[in-house]
Amino acid sequence: MPIEILLQGKSKDPPTNAIPKCLEAMSSGKRIGTLTKEQHTGRIVDEWKNALDASNHKFDNVDISAALSACMAVKDAEEMKLIRTSANVASVLLSAHFVPKLELVLDRGSKTTHQALADSIDAKLGDGTKPDMRVFGKAKNANDIDFTSMEFIYPPIVQSKSSSSGYDIRFSAMSTEDQMSHKGIILVALGMKYRGYCANMARTFLVDANKTQEQQYELLLSLQSEALTKLKDGTVAREVYQHVVNTLKAKNPELEKHLPKNVGWGMGLEFRDSSYVLGPKNSRLLKTGMVFNLILAFTDVTGDDGKKYSLLLTDTIKVGEEKGVCLTEGIKTFKDVLFSFNDDEPAPKDKSKSGGDSKPSKSKANGASPKKSELKGVQAGSKVLRAKTRQGYMDPEASTSLSSRITGHQRELHLQRQEEGIARFAGEDDRGGREDNKIFKRFQSYKGEAALPKEVESLRIYVDRKNLSVVLPINGFAVPFHINVIKNASKSDEGEFTYLRINFQTPGQLAGKKEDTPFEDPNSTFIRSVSYRSTDGHRFDTLYKAIQELKKEVNKREQEKKAMADVVEQDNLQEVKGKRPVRLPEVFVRPATDGKRLPGDLEIHQNGLRYVSPLGHKIDLLFNNIKHLFFQPCDNEMLVIIHFHLKAPIMIGKKKTKDVQVYREASDVQFDETGNRKRKYRYGDEDEIELEQQERKRRQALNKEFKYFAEKIAEASDERLEVDIPFADLAFEGVPFRTNVKLQPTTDCLVHLADPPFLVVTLADIEIASLERVQFSLKQFDMVLIFKDFSRPPLQINSIPSNQLDNVKEWLDSVDVPLAEGPVNLNWGNIMKNINENPYEFFKDGGWGFLSGTAVGEDGSEGSEVSSEESEFEMDDDDDALSSSQSESDFSADSDASESGSGSFSDDDSGEDWDELERKAAKSDKKRHEEGRGHGSESDSDRPAKKGKAKAKGKK
């Protein structure tokens, strides 16, 4: 079909005949296809309407929205990529921000409104120019996402039973200003649009829910699974709805009246495509590549208290050839959505595949060990205490099944890491796709012959420090060489002559740091070295030293430039105007500024913080460059600390740093040893007790002051920052650098903040943790943390006490970090080099499966060890029983012989005399002594048992 495009000029351009020519072409027809339900405005629309009214030919308007919808319903690869990005960002926003925020509110019992929670979701994206990469950085290919093209389809919705408007599952509902209820059903819905393409999801959270509500939510999950089987190529739209209704009738017919009139609609450039509603009357066919907003809900269900509630589960689904594919995964299973804070009722068991426990309970349960349960002053973070559930405390067999739970969870984590690795490095299966692109650098000594120094006219070797070059006389010409193309120089004396040899960088050199230096054409002819001979040894000695010094100076300059490459220049700090900034006075800073050590003030401004010392030194920290904010109280510590871990390092004086800390000393050593008037009337330890009470009060005041200021910082950052507090009860000792320090987990990190060098490891950046030197005979083990960025060297933490092994394994498993165990240290330098050569092939060949460990073995090696010990023990029992039965039969035979009388001895019995027996016994004792067994405390009854045990092992 030939197509002619008519150009219509802009308002400033001269008029064209596009509209009259279009009407002339249409005069042969009678109908005009249009979108009758849409209202169009604008200059071109007005001109078209005027021209159509003035025309003598009358047309009939026909609605073509259904035809356009059918054409645009099937998405191509580029459109699907945009929808996947929207779905990915929505999933990450819910799992990485809202769920931890909700857990924190519930754990602390904080009062907050529905609108405040919804606004916190909206604030993470803002206008897209400065998104919170602490959250969005966890999305797939986050660096490739243009967040300025990302927006919300509708304001995020948060509802609970205290909402004045009640539960409203429509996406036009609004979050209210009522205080959110900390018990019952909590609904959250959010939709994202990336470059016009939509994705939507909604979740239900159950806090202290009853069994009926849990069963109803489980039914929602099963209905979604059934609906996915029908969202495939060739299915009629109404069949999806009918299949959901039939499934609901079979499982719980009473809830049929609470099911909405449809279970979703088509989605793409439009959030709701009315032509593809999944209702009882739609006869359109579904095709592979379509995208639907699948909505499953029970509305206006009456609870035991007589109040109505709703359950909602919404996901973005892609129609597949065999079944639908969920694009908005995560935060769906019982483990993710159930919260329990009521000690009177047993905690619900997790009904997901992982078989884990329910959400962490803040309440203290009976039967818990004092060390684990008495977490006084510690807020139950969403990750760190996830495994410490009330159900685990109430179950007497929980501790015995801990290892099996860790083993099962670790299998899932390792499988997840392998799938993520294959997906991340797909398309890089050849080596060329992963090699770093080496850049060939051109070094120019002089722009032309006229720029050569006058000293070269004598055709002698000259070292030009200004232009970083060495000029060499070759065949009567002065030839300059840049110092970077010179590898090294050597000088030797032979008789009356001195030889100076200059070696150049050339391809094929297999040793040294420059072996990977790129060349413009490696197949060209290169000069490897040049040698000169002279009788003037003093001059050659001077030249040799000058070349070496220039080479060292250039190398030092390059190293400094490389070290400073990641240092960022922050934006200007916008100071608070019209009022005094919130200030934390009399605090010291680390790293310290130049000059005398004096306390300064830390101030909160509009877009960051400023530390001002009494000498006038200033340190600015902007909120958009702070990655983590920590508050460490002075409980059992000498310092109370607020610590900032930055995204990119900054310069403080002449030091590059990525960690900035302000602190105040908690102890105030003042003690009157000379005596005073009080001592006349006091006896015993009254003074010491009073000092201890004062010290305790001072520490409490410091903690309160610093924590309040840290919360003010988080508030001023528009909730881009959250205060993270180390869990002292989960601390363990180790050597991450050169000294033994106390390492403390937080909700998102593993930290050491007490003294420099500081350590801050983000848990989300860890690929896997390898526990090494795990042996029964050793008192310590090592832990190596491998990061998801394989170019980053692994972090090795040495000399962790072996009695902390179980605690470390439990913590790593609770924060979803895969772990492995091994008896020896591995050479991680060579391992990471091999992985970086072809990471896709590495994950395709099994990934981290080469790390053998009791907690992560594919065949459950820990369980096999236990089973082997049990089987060995059982075999020993059998052997003991066998030996005892033999001894009983021997005794019976002897007794029968004795009863038959002493005259029953036969002359045919060949016995040994006493001398022979003593000689054999001595020989046997000597042999045992040489083998290191000894015989001082062994009795005759012990020996058969040991023989029996040896036999059992031999059978095994």
Side-chain angles (χ1 to χ4, degrees), residues 132-369:
D132 187 355
M133 295 309 294
R134 287 185 58 192
V135 174
F136 296 112
K138 299 176 182 179
K140 294 179 182 178
N141 302 319
N143 295 330
D144 299 331
I145 299 176
D146 179 15
F147 284 96
T148 58
S149 301
M150 185 76 67
E151 59 180 325
F152 287 97
I153 302 173
Y154 52 86
I157 304 170
V158 179
Q159 299 175 356
S160 72
K161 70 177 184 180
S162 60
S163 297
S164 57
S165 59
Y167 290 102
D168 187 354
I169 67 168
R170 293 176 300 175
F171 298 107
S172 58
M174 300 296 292
S175 303
T176 65
E177 292 290 348
D178 306 302
Q179 295 286 341
M180 189 192 74
S181 174
H182 288 202
K183 189 174 182 180
I185 305 298
I186 298 175
L187 302 183
V188 58
L190 59 97
M192 303 302 298
K193 182 189 296 186
Y194 184 56
R195 293 180 179 172
Y197 285 87
C198 304
N200 189 44
M201 66 185 304
R203 292 293 184 264
T204 298
F205 296 92
L206 299 92
V207 184
D208 285 336
N210 55 46
K211 291 184 179 180
T212 302
Q213 293 171 337
E214 293 173 23
Q215 292 170 356
Q216 291 170 352
Y217 183 78
E218 185 179 14
L219 182 57
L220 269 186
L221 293 176
S222 64
L223 290 179
Q224 188 184 67
S225 300
E226 292 294 331
L228 289 178
T229 61
K230 284 293 183 180
L231 285 168
K232 61 182 180 180
D233 188 50
T235 304
V236 180
R238 63 170 174 261
E239 292 179 0
V240 180
Y241 176 81
Q242 196 60 45
H243 184 66
V244 171
V245 172
N246 293 339
T247 305
L248 183 59
K249 285 182 179 178
K251 294 186 176 182
N252 194 338
E254 295 180 358
L255 288 175
E256 182 186 357
K257 60 183 179 181
H258 300 288
L259 193 70
K261 296 180 180 179
N262 62 71
V263 293
W265 51 71
M267 192 164 54
L269 283 172
E270 282 189 293
F271 174 56
R272 188 181 189 276
D273 188 347
S274 57
S275 300
Y276 283 91
V277 174
L278 298 176
K281 299 180 181 179
N282 195 344
S283 59
R284 288 184 173 268
L285 287 178
L286 308 187
K287 297 181 181 180
T288 302
M290 291 183 176
V291 176
F292 283 86
N293 183 27
L294 181 61
I295 305 170
L296 295 168
F298 298 135
T299 61
D300 297 332
V301 182
T302 305
D304 298 336
D305 55 357
K307 295 183 179 179
K308 294 184 178 182
Y309 64 89
S310 299
L311 301 177
L312 177 62
L313 181 61
T314 301
D315 276 303
T316 302
I317 309 296
K318 172 193 172 186
V319 177
E321 294 183 358
E322 297 181 356
K323 63 176 294 186
V325 179
C326 189
L327 302 181
T328 48
E329 277 293 349
I331 316 300
K332 191 185 301 184
T333 64
F334 270 84
K335 179 180 178 181
D336 299 322
V337 303
L338 287 186
F339 295 83
S340 179
F341 294 87
N342 188 2
D343 287 334
D344 297 334
E345 299 179 5
K349 295 183 179 179
D350 181 16
K351 302 182 182 180
S352 62
K353 293 182 180 179
S354 61
D357 291 325
S358 61
K359 279 286 177 182
S361 172
K362 192 175 77 170
S363 59
K364 181 176 175 181
N366 297 329
S369 61

Side-chain angles (χ1 to χ4, degrees), residues 435-449:
E435 282 186 347
D436 296 332
N437 295 324
K438 304 292 183 182
I439 301 175
F440 172 74
K441 293 183 180 180
R442 289 182 175 273
F443 301 104
Q444 186 176 17
S445 299
Y446 306 98
K447 293 185 178 180
E449 188 176 351

Side-chain angles (χ1 to χ4, degrees), residues 470 481-488 502-505 551:
V470 179
F481 293 89
H482 197 276
I483 192 64
N484 282 321
V485 303
I486 297 176
K487 182 181 179 183
N488 54 39
I502 299 176
N503 301 313
F504 298 100
Q505 302 283 359
K551 187 71 178 173

